[in-house]
Structures are given as C-alpha cells and as structure tokens.
C-alpha cells in the first residue's frame, strides 16, 4: 500500500515482473494486480497492488476498497503483512497512512522509494533512526534501478516467518479520544475478532461497508448515535494528531542539503500555460492518432499477408471439404481479423501509458476540469475519454477515481461514444467506399484521412452532447472534488510501460479473441449450413442459371456461393432483419454483420471476411477488394456505394456495438438499468443518423 | 496557512498533507479558469477555486 504517486506500482513491477495476474477485487471492478515473489526456493508469497490512497478516510471507489479489505477480517484479500511504499523525497507527506496501518496490529515493512533521487545528494535519510522511531523495519529501494530489492525481499522473508516485531498498539501515533474509546467498547460484542482501531474505522464507514448486512449496520448506527460519535470531527482530529507526531520524526531524520531543481514547475510553465497548454494537448492527441495509422501499417500488412498465405496453404494442402472450409474460412478468417489489430492496440496503449507514466495525465485533468464541469464531468474524466480512444473497457474502469457519483456515471455513459480502436478496422474498410482517394494542398491533406478525423470528432461531439443531456436529467447531492496531486515529471520506466502494453495486448487477444473465435466458428456453421434441403436446392438452381447464362468457372462458383449463403441459417437471420435496416441502405449480409458485431465491433470485418470467403475461389485475403465487387442483385448497383458506406460508418460511430463494455458498465454501476439506457440511446442515435444520411445521400 | 473553512474539504486536504502551518504558493490558474495550480511545501496540487477558497492563509 502507499499514497498515489509513491512509485508503488513501479516497485510492484520491479518485484514481480511478469509473474502478475490482473483481475478484479471480489465484488467490485477495481482492478486488482496480484504478483508472486519468490523469497526462497520453497517460499513464494502473493503481493497485491492496492490502489493508492492518502488515508483510511476515502471518497473514491478504489480508495474505499482499501478500507474494506482491512476492516473485513474474512475478506479474501485481508492482508497478512504490509509492504508500505513511501516517496523518500516526500516523506513529510507520505507517512499518515503508514501510522494508520501500524494500528491494525499487522506487521509492516516500510520501503523508502526513489532512493536514487535521494542518492543524488538531494535528500539524506537516517534510516536506522527512522526505523527506531516508527517502530517499523525500513529499507531503501529504487523501483527504477532495482537497488535495495534484495534487502527488501530479506525483510519480507522475515515477516513471512513471523520474525518481525509486531507494531505495539500502545506506541500509537494518536491517542484514542473518549468518544472513540466508548464506541470501540460498544462495538466489541458485534466485532469480537477486530481490534479497537478497526472497530473505530467501522464506526466511521459502516454506511457503505459491503460486508455488513442491514441488521449489523443498524446495530452499529445505534451505537454511533449513543456514543455521540462525530465522524468528521474525529477524522480531522486523528489526522492532525498523527501529523503532529510524525512530522518531528521526519524532520529529525531527513536532511536536504541542496535546493530542489523545480524542473516540474518550469516544465509546467509551458505545459499548463493558458495558451500553450491546451495547444500542446491537442498536438499530442493528433500525434497519437497519426502514430496509430503510420506505425501500425507495416505490421498490419504483414499479419494480413501471413494469414493470406496460411489460408491458401490450407486450401491447397487439405482436400476440399468441410474441414478445409472450417479452418480456412471460419478459423483463419476470424483469427486474422483479431490479430491484425494488435499493432494498433499496442501503439495506443504504449502512448497512453507513456503519458500516464511521465505524469502528464494529471495535468490534462487539471487543465480541462472547468471545461469538463460544463458538461457535468470531472477533470479526471479526460483520462477516461482519452483511454476510450484505445478501448472503452479500461476507460470505464478508470472512472473509479472520480468520487462524485453523478460525474462518474456520466463519464461511464458517454465514454463509449469515443471511437475506440475496434472501430478503426471498420472505418478503414468502409471509408474507401465513402470518400474518393484525393489529396489537397499538394498532398498534405488526404480526403480519406480528413474523413477519418471527422468520424473521431463526431464521436467526441456526441460524447459531450450526451453528457450535457445527462447533466440536465440526473440529480445529485454529492459534492464534487478535483484535489489532484500533480506528480513530478519523470522519465518513464520502460518496464512499467512494457508491462501495461503486454498485459493489455494479452487480455485483448485472449478475452476478445475467445469471443471472436467462437463467433467466427458459429458464423461459419450458420452460413455453411441451411434449414432442410434449401442449401442443395440453391446450389442446383445456381448451376442451372450458370449453364443458361453460359458463365465461366469462377463466375459459376461465385454465383453458387452467393445463392448458398442466402439459403443458409445466417442468410435467414439477415433476411429477417432486412426490413428494419433497409431504410438505412443495409442489405441482409450487413444485417448478419450487425448482429455478430454486437459482440465486438471489429467482428464486423471478420464477418465480412467469413461471409464473402465461403465458397469463393480466390485466395485473396483483402476484404476490401471482395466488398468492392459486391453487387446488389435487385438493382445491379454496387452494395458499398457512397450512401450506404456513410450510413454504415455513422452507425458504427454511434451504436453500442460492444457486449463487453455493457457487461463492465453493468458491474461498475451495479445495475442493468444504466447499460440498458446506454444501449438504447446510443443505438437509437445510430439508427436515426444512419437513416437521415442514407435518405439524403441516395 | 492558518486554518480551513470547510471541514469536509479539510479532512481530504489534510490527508494529502495540507496542514495549518504549511507554506502555500499559488502558481497559476487553469487555462479555462476554475482551477488553481498550487504548491504546498514541496507538493504540487491542483484544486478547484471553491476548494482553494476553503484554505485560510495567515
């Protein structure tokens, strides 16, 4: 545990490396990182990276989790020992939480982080004296260079073996007041296994503590009433007294020979400047946007080429039949459709975690707080909205740092409007049909690039407007805070950035990959088989037509493929939907893609690949070329004309086509109400705007 | 710094280490207004104007 910006996660990464598992704390979506540390050949311990917090008096959901896990003795993550991380250069601010942890009666080790900065002669700390005065073992570490980690592990081993002295409760950093003492005694019967400090904390927080049922809450409330326990007043008193006790200790052990460089302040003169600040922010965003397209191009082409080769290899090596079809058109088409995004996702998460790591995100939150408040959001929403450009799921989860429920809810509801990386392939596939390949100003501006940017801006505009509407509808009495620490700028630790990228790419490939793979397989089955004899009939009819019209071999095969898919189960689903989506300019094949891509937007492209490759004679892997050839049999016109393509593009900008996001919103808001509302207003808006655009353009 | 005007904000700011007796310097306002960039001892902190107004200086 430790304060925000203490380098806690960085030390966690240093200690556990790739031995990490990311999941959720039981019952909440607060992200939980658990890592294994090997202390000896036989002894491995689990280390949990708790969210950063300043004290046991939380307001935001992630801080509340910390309190929950230290007062609920039966909680699965109830700690057996603490590793407390404090920033050596901010020791005068970082020890409040440590003195609170001491009072829990659980052993604790203090790691003084960033000793590399301290070693540069900026701060000197007498660790032996600090350890003696605090009654806690102290070790200097650098999460950046890894120095001190061996000594830290040695201390953790001693803690594991029970060799560390237990912090003495009577050497407490604050004296329990009569009210608190009365309450602790009154709660003894209700909480016999807790210590007095834990009972007092329950008295402060019982209203929201999830492990207390209504009956126990009522019992605590009654005792709080009886003992005239004034939570806010006592909090302030406790905090004051703790600071009063440890500040002299810090003063006596820390010497600061040189003055600080103040580099962060100097950088902020420009980076948070009234004019340059926002300007630099937009340039950075533009750069991220460009990088995704420029850098991802080559690896994406490579992945497509590899899958193209693999597909033709399978078709050539395996005898023609259901197995070859299943592997080439179902499995490989679906898998290629997923893996091709990895470069874009990796680049996006790389750049975003880089901004986070150097300390820029907090500045963005500071600069845009006022603007965000206009839309009912919080400065911290900027972080979620930017992350939404990568993926709405981590973005929605990142809102847990917003303590005001209304601001948090609005951020959750509108974040999916921001074009995420899953929309990129859909946009890429369709934009070529919507906008001609033209350049202006001597090749500087590209018409398709501009259209791309337009789609992103449209998403941002939709997010802000929707936020305004929700601000107007929703009522809240919670007070809202900014109160944000601006960490010192520092060079990024590439291990941290690398681990984030690795973890996100891995979870995308495994989690999203699983869904997409299953859908591709189901889709392949649905489009390869049909009810009754319909498939056979369709094939025979197509053969006849081909003979009558005297078609060559390829044209015959394509005709058979087209007729068969129409007769398949998937074709029936698409046909069923067609009346509803015809006014938008969509045919039944697009209808199939709309249904399947509800699982995840990128499935759209995979579906197109599967639908158009089944039965097709060509080994060509490019979906765009296949889509370009698609002709409407009724009108004889190209299916992907300008009107349909724009209509489909707008549909994907607005529609809530992502099952996983809805699931996360359900968990975050703890009800089906909000994801349901979100689905209907987003998809409703998508339907209306597609309708208007198609009717105007066609 | 002398004291706080609002106990709720006080409890939060104190946990961050903003205490009576701290030295506070106003560095700049946010680009779109409404926010302040302040330095408390050696800590850089962003506050809303309303939050900053609850801090009473000597």
């Amino acid at each position: 545990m430790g304060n925000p910006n203490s380098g806690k996660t960085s030390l966690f990464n240093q200690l556990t490396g790739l031995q990490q598992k990311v999941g959720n704390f039981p019952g909440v979506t607060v992200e939980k990182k658990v890592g294994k540390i090997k202390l000896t050949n036989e002894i491995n311990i689990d280390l949990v990276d708790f969210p950063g917090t300043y004290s046991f008096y939380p307001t935001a959901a992630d801080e509340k989790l910390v309190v929950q896990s230290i007062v609920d003795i039966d909680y699965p993550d109830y700690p057996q020992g603490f590793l407390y991380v404090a920033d050596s250069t901010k020791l005068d601010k970082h020890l409040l939480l440590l003195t609170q942890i001491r009072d829990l009666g659980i052993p604790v080790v203090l790691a003084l982080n960033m000793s590399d900065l301290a070693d540069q002669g900026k701060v000197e700390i007498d660790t032996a004296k600090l350890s003696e005065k605090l009654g806690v073992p102290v070790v200097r570490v650098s999460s950046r260079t890894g120095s001190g980690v061996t000594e830290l592990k040695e201390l953790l081993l001693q803690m594991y073996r029970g060799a560390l002295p237990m912090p003495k409760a009577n050497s407490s950093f604050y004296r329990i007041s009569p009210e608190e003492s009365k309450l602790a005694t009154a709660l003894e019967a209700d909480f016999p296994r807790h210590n007095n400090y834990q009972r007092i904390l329950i008295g402060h927080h019982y209203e929201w503590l999830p492990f207390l049922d209504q009956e126990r809450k009522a019992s605590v409330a009654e005792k709080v009433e009886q003992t005239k326990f004034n939570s806010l007043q006592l909090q302030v008193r406790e905090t004051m007294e703790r600071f009063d006790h440890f500040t002299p200790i810090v003063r006596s052990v820390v010497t600061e020979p040189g003055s600080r460089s103040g580099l962060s302040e100097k950088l902020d003169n420009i980076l948070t400047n009234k004019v340059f600040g926002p300007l630099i922010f937009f340039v950075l965003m533009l750069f991220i946007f460009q990088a995704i397209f420029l850098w991802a191009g080559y690896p994406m082409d490579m992945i497509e080429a590899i899958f193209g080769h693999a597909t033709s290899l399978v078709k050539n090596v395996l005898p023609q039949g259901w197995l070859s079809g299943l592997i080439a058109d179902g499995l490989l088409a679906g898998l290629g459709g997923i893996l091709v995004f990895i470069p874009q996702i990796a680049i996006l998460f790389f750049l975003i975690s880089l901004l986070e790591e150097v300390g820029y995100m907090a500045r963005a939150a500071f600069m845009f707080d006022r603007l965000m408040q206009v839309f009912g959001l919080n400065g911290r929403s900027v972080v979620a909205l930017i992350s939404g450009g990568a993926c709405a799921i981590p973005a929605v989860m990142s809102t847990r740092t917003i303590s005001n429920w209304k601001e948090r809810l609005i951020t959750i509801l509108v974040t999916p409007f921001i074009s995420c990386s899953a929309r990129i392939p859909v946009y890429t596939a369709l934009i070529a049909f919507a906008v001609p390949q033209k350049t202006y100003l001597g090749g500087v501006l590209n018409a398709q690039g501009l259209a791309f940017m337009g789609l992103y801006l449209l998403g941002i505009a939709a997010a802000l407007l929707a936020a305004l509407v929700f601000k107007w509808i929703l009522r809240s009495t919670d007070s809202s805070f900014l109160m944000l620490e601006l960490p010192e700028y520092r060079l990024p630790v590439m291990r941290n950035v690398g681990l984030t990228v690795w973890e996100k790419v891995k979870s995308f490939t495994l989690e999203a990959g699983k869904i997409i793979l299953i859908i591709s397989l189901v889709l392949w089955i649905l489009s390869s088989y049909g009810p009754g004899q319909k498939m056979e009939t369709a094939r025979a009819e197509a053969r006849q037509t081909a003979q009558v019209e005297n078609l060559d071999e390829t044209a015959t095969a394509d005709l058979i493929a087209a007729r068969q898919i129409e007769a398949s189960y998937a074709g029936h689903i698409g046909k069923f939907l067609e009346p509803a989506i015809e006014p938008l300019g969509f045919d039944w094949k697009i209808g199939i893609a709309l249904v399947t891509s509800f699982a995840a937007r990128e499935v759209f492209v995979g579906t197109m690949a599967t639908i158009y490759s089944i039965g097709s004679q060509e080994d060509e892997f490019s979906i765009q070329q296949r889509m370009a050839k698609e002709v409407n049999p009724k009108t004889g016109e190209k299916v992907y004309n300008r009107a349909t393509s724009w209509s489909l593009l707008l549909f994907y900008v607005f529609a809530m086509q992502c099952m996983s996001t809805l699931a996360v919103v359900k968990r975050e808001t703890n009800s089906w109400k909000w994801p349901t509302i979100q689905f209907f207003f987003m998809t409703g808006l998508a339907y209306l705007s597609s309708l208007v655009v198609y009717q105007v353009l066609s | 710094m002398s004291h706080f005007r609002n106990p709720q904000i006080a409890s939060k700011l104190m946990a961050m280490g903003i205490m009576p007796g701290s030295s506070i310097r106003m560095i700049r306002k946010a680009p779109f207004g409404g926010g302040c960039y302040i330095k408390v001892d050696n800590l850089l902190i962003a506050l809303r104007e309303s939050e900053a107004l609850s801090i009473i200086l000597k």
Side-chain angles (χ1 to χ4, degrees):
Chain A
M1 284 192 186
N3 286 18
N5 306 309
S6 56
K8 190 172 48 62
T9 301
S10 192
L11 182 62
F12 176 80
N13 287 343
Q14 177 71 255
L15 282 168
T16 61
L18 282 172
Q19 299 296 310
Q20 296 184 10
K21 268 200 187 136
V22 180
N24 284 314
F25 284 100
V28 280
T29 42
V30 173
E31 190 179 77
K32 170 182 163 187
K33 283 189 182 167
V34 187
K36 276 210 185 315
I37 315 180
K38 195 173 175 182
L39 294 178
T40 68
N41 281 333
E42 293 85 39
I43 300 173
N44 287 299
I45 56 167
D46 280 342
L47 190 67
V48 178
D49 183 11
F50 277 92
T53 180
Y54 293 101
S55 77
F56 284 156
Y57 299 105
T59 38
D62 56 340
E63 301 167 332
K64 284 186 175 172
L65 177 105
V66 173
V67 175
Q68 185 188 337
S69 28
I70 55 109
V71 294
D72 181 3
I73 292 185
D74 302 314
Y75 197 67
D77 290 307
Y78 186 75
Q80 290 166 296
F82 285 97
L83 167 55
Y84 186 83
V85 187
D87 180 341
S88 308
T89 62
K90 295 206 172 66
L91 217 50
D92 54 334
K93 309 286 180 207
H94 276 192
L95 294 183
L96 172 66
L97 184 62
L98 176 74
T99 68
Q100 291 179 322
I101 286 175
R102 274 184 95 266
D103 291 350
L104 296 172
I106 299 171
V108 52
V109 169
L110 168 61
L112 295 179
N113 195 12
M114 304 184 201
S115 58
D116 49 337
L117 276 184
D119 288 341
Q120 286 163 19
K122 284 176 183 139
V123 190
E124 273 171 33
I125 299 171
D126 184 344
T127 44
K129 196 169 166 191
L130 183 66
S131 167
E132 187 206 313
K133 297 263 185 176
L134 292 175
V136 162
V138 178
V139 60
R140 303 173 64 146
V141 295
S142 166
S143 58
R144 190 172 285 267
T145 64
S147 75
V149 163
T150 323
E151 291 86 336
L152 174 59
K153 281 187 178 169
E154 181 52 40
L155 276 178
L156 291 177
L157 184 63
Q158 287 180 30
M159 181 158 79
Y160 175 83
R161 292 190 165 140
L164 287 190
M166 210 58 106
K168 284 191 212 92
N170 59 358
S171 63
S172 167
F173 279 75
Y174 99 108
R175 260 175 295 277
I176 289 180
S177 69
E179 296 101 306
E180 286 166 310
S181 173
K182 264 191 244 160
L183 181 75
T185 317
L187 289 178
E188 221 176 295
D190 292 88
F191 304 96
R193 291 180 300 142
H194 290 70
N195 80 5
N196 275 347
Y197 188 52
Q198 284 170 321
R199 291 182 194 126
I200 295 169
L201 286 174
I202 290 173
H204 281 291
H205 302 303
Y206 69 93
E207 280 168 329
W208 58 264
L209 280 174
F211 75 99
L212 299 176
D213 53 28
Q214 285 311 318
E215 200 182 320
R216 294 180 90 192
K217 275 183 190 170
S219 158
V220 178
E222 193 187 310
K223 277 146 199 163
V224 163
E225 187 73 27
Q226 276 169 10
T227 54
K228 300 196 172 57
F229 183 84
N230 182 330
S231 174
L232 194 57
Q233 220 170 51
L234 290 166
Q235 264 177 51
V236 172
R237 182 185 160 273
E238 181 191 330
T239 309
M240 284 282 256
E241 203 158 303
R242 287 183 189 277
F243 267 98
D244 284 348
H245 276 88
F246 75 71
T247 306
I249 298 178
V250 172
R251 289 224 178 98
S252 72
V253 300
V254 177
T255 37
E256 296 179 45
S259 63
R260 279 157 211 286
S261 66
L263 185 66
S264 291
E265 279 169 78
K266 281 180 199 143
L267 280 171
D268 273 336
N269 281 339
I270 303 163
L271 290 173
T272 62
N273 178 285
K274 263 195 159 71
V275 181
F276 295 120
L279 214 66
I280 292 170
F281 175 81
F282 286 114
V283 171
L284 275 174
M285 292 303 110
L286 213 67
F287 170 75
I288 292 180
F289 183 76
Q290 286 288 320
I292 292 168
F293 293 96
L294 288 178
W295 302 350
Y298 288 108
M300 287 177 77
D301 288 347
M302 254 174 56
I303 295 172
E304 280 201 336
I306 290 170
F307 274 90
H309 284 303
T311 308
S312 41
L313 193 73
V314 168
K315 285 197 173 172
N316 290 337
V317 171
L318 288 178
Q320 230 183 7
W322 68 270
L323 185 66
S324 143
L326 178 71
I327 294 177
D329 300 331
L331 211 74
L332 283 178
L335 210 64
I338 315 158
L339 296 182
V340 80
F341 302 127
I342 287 178
Q344 286 179 332
I345 287 177
I347 291 171
L348 201 55
F349 279 111
F350 173 75
L351 293 172
I352 284 179
S353 65
L354 210 59
L355 286 183
E356 185 88 60
E357 182 75 16
V358 297
Y360 184 76
M361 285 301 207
R363 269 77 184 180
F366 158 66
M367 285 195 288
F368 292 100
D369 181 58
R370 178 80 200 95
L371 211 60
M372 290 288 115
Q373 276 181 272
V374 173
F375 297 101
L377 304 169
N378 186 293
R380 289 176 177 83
S381 310
V382 170
V383 179
L385 294 177
I386 295 172
S387 317
C391 176
I393 294 162
V396 164
M397 287 173 68
S398 78
T399 60
R400 60 178 189 248
T401 56
I402 303 172
S403 54
N404 178 287
W405 170 242
K406 181 179 164 182
E407 290 173 341
R408 179 163 174 232
L409 180 63
I410 297 180
T411 312
I412 290 173
L413 290 176
V414 305
T415 294
F417 271 127
I418 303 294
S419 287
C420 61
S421 53
R423 280 154 167 121
I424 294 171
V426 183
Y427 292 174
T428 317
L430 291 169
I431 218 153
F433 303 114
V435 182
Q437 181 65 264
K438 252 195 222 158
T439 54
Y440 306 103
L441 295 176
V444 179
L445 290 176
N446 167 309
Q448 295 186 347
L450 285 177
F452 230 113
M453 190 130 139
L455 294 173
Y456 270 78
L457 292 178
L458 205 60
I460 295 169
L464 292 180
L465 286 177
L468 263 186
V469 174
F470 282 118
K471 181 194 178 188
W472 183 66
I473 297 173
L474 295 171
R475 289 278 163 260
S476 156
T477 49
D478 279 9
S479 33
S480 143
F481 300 106
L482 178 63
M483 286 188 208
L484 187 62
E485 189 180 329
L486 302 165
E488 311 275 329
Y489 286 113
R490 46 189 171 222
L491 286 175
V493 178
M494 288 325 263
R495 183 183 333 107
N496 296 341
V497 178
L499 277 171
T500 307
V501 172
W502 163 249
E503 194 268 306
K504 300 289 180 201
V505 167
K506 195 176 84 179
S507 77
F508 171 81
T509 320
L510 295 181
E511 298 304 313
K514 246 185 276 170
I515 302 175
I516 296 172
L517 210 59
I518 291 168
I519 289 184
S520 334
L521 291 178
V522 170
L523 190 70
W524 180 83
I525 293 166
L526 285 180
S527 39
S528 300
Y529 298 92
Q533 292 296 308
K534 287 215 169 133
M535 293 291 271
E536 285 72 23
T537 324
R539 197 180 305 142
E541 276 176 12
R543 283 235 168 76
Q544 254 176 1
T545 319
Q547 268 176 0
V548 172
E549 293 183 9
N550 205 9
L551 295 177
D552 65 24
E553 205 179 317
T554 325
T556 310
D558 282 348
L559 185 71
I560 293 174
R563 290 289 166 82
Q564 271 189 319
I565 200 149
E566 209 173 337
S568 69
Y569 290 109
H572 280 79
I573 297 171
K575 291 270 181 186
F576 174 75
L577 277 175
E578 204 170 20
I581 56 176
E582 216 171 4
L584 313 185
F586 302 165
D587 66 1
W588 56 271
K589 286 189 184 175
I590 299 177
I592 300 173
L594 291 187
V595 172
T596 55
S597 70
F598 175 62
R601 294 174 181 92
E602 60 269 29
V603 176
F604 174 82
V605 181
T607 304
M608 289 294 156
T610 306
I611 292 179
Y612 291 138
S613 58
I614 284 176
S616 166
Q617 288 301 302
E618 285 169 66
D619 296 331
E620 185 73 66
F621 201 71
S622 164
I623 301 142
Q624 253 178 332
Q625 289 175 4
R626 285 183 196 144
M627 283 164 67
K629 287 202 301 195
E630 197 56 13
V631 170
N632 184 330
K634 285 182 215 152
T635 58
E637 277 178 40
K638 290 255 194 280
V639 170
Y640 294 94
N641 57 22
R642 199 165 66 105
T644 299
S645 305
W646 269 117
S647 163
L648 204 49
L649 276 172
L650 285 191
F651 192 85
Y652 275 92
V653 170
F654 297 131
M656 185 46 177
Q657 291 281 93
C658 183
M659 243 162 29
S660 325
T661 304
L662 286 172
V664 167
V665 171
K666 193 257 156 190
R667 272 197 309 182
E668 285 287 328
T669 60
N670 214 0
S671 84
W672 280 110
K673 178 178 159 194
W674 297 111
T676 312
I677 289 175
Q678 191 175 34
F679 174 77
F680 281 103
F681 85 75
M682 288 186 71
T683 305
L685 180 65
Y687 189 90
L688 281 179
S689 49
S690 291
L691 182 69
V692 170
V693 155
Y694 182 73
Q695 297 301 336
V696 169
L697 285 182
S698 67
Chain B
M1 178 193 162
S2 160
H3 61 279
F4 290 101
R5 191 181 285 170
N6 173 329
Q8 199 195 1
I9 295 179
S11 77
K12 288 180 62 69
L13 288 180
M14 280 168 71
M16 293 172 88
I18 306 181
M19 309 290 286
S22 300
S23 80
I24 298 185
R25 192 154 59 90
M26 165 82 184
I27 295 185
R28 72 176 57 81
K29 292 208 163 178
F32 302 97
C36 317
Y37 182 133
I38 63 169
K39 188 170 181 181
V40 181
D41 302 325
N42 60 359
L43 212 60
L44 304 172
I45 292 176
L47 295 181
R48 283 193 183 150
E49 234 154 45
S50 54
E51 293 158 6
L53 282 174
S54 79
I55 301 175
I56 308 297
L57 301 176
K58 265 181 198 154

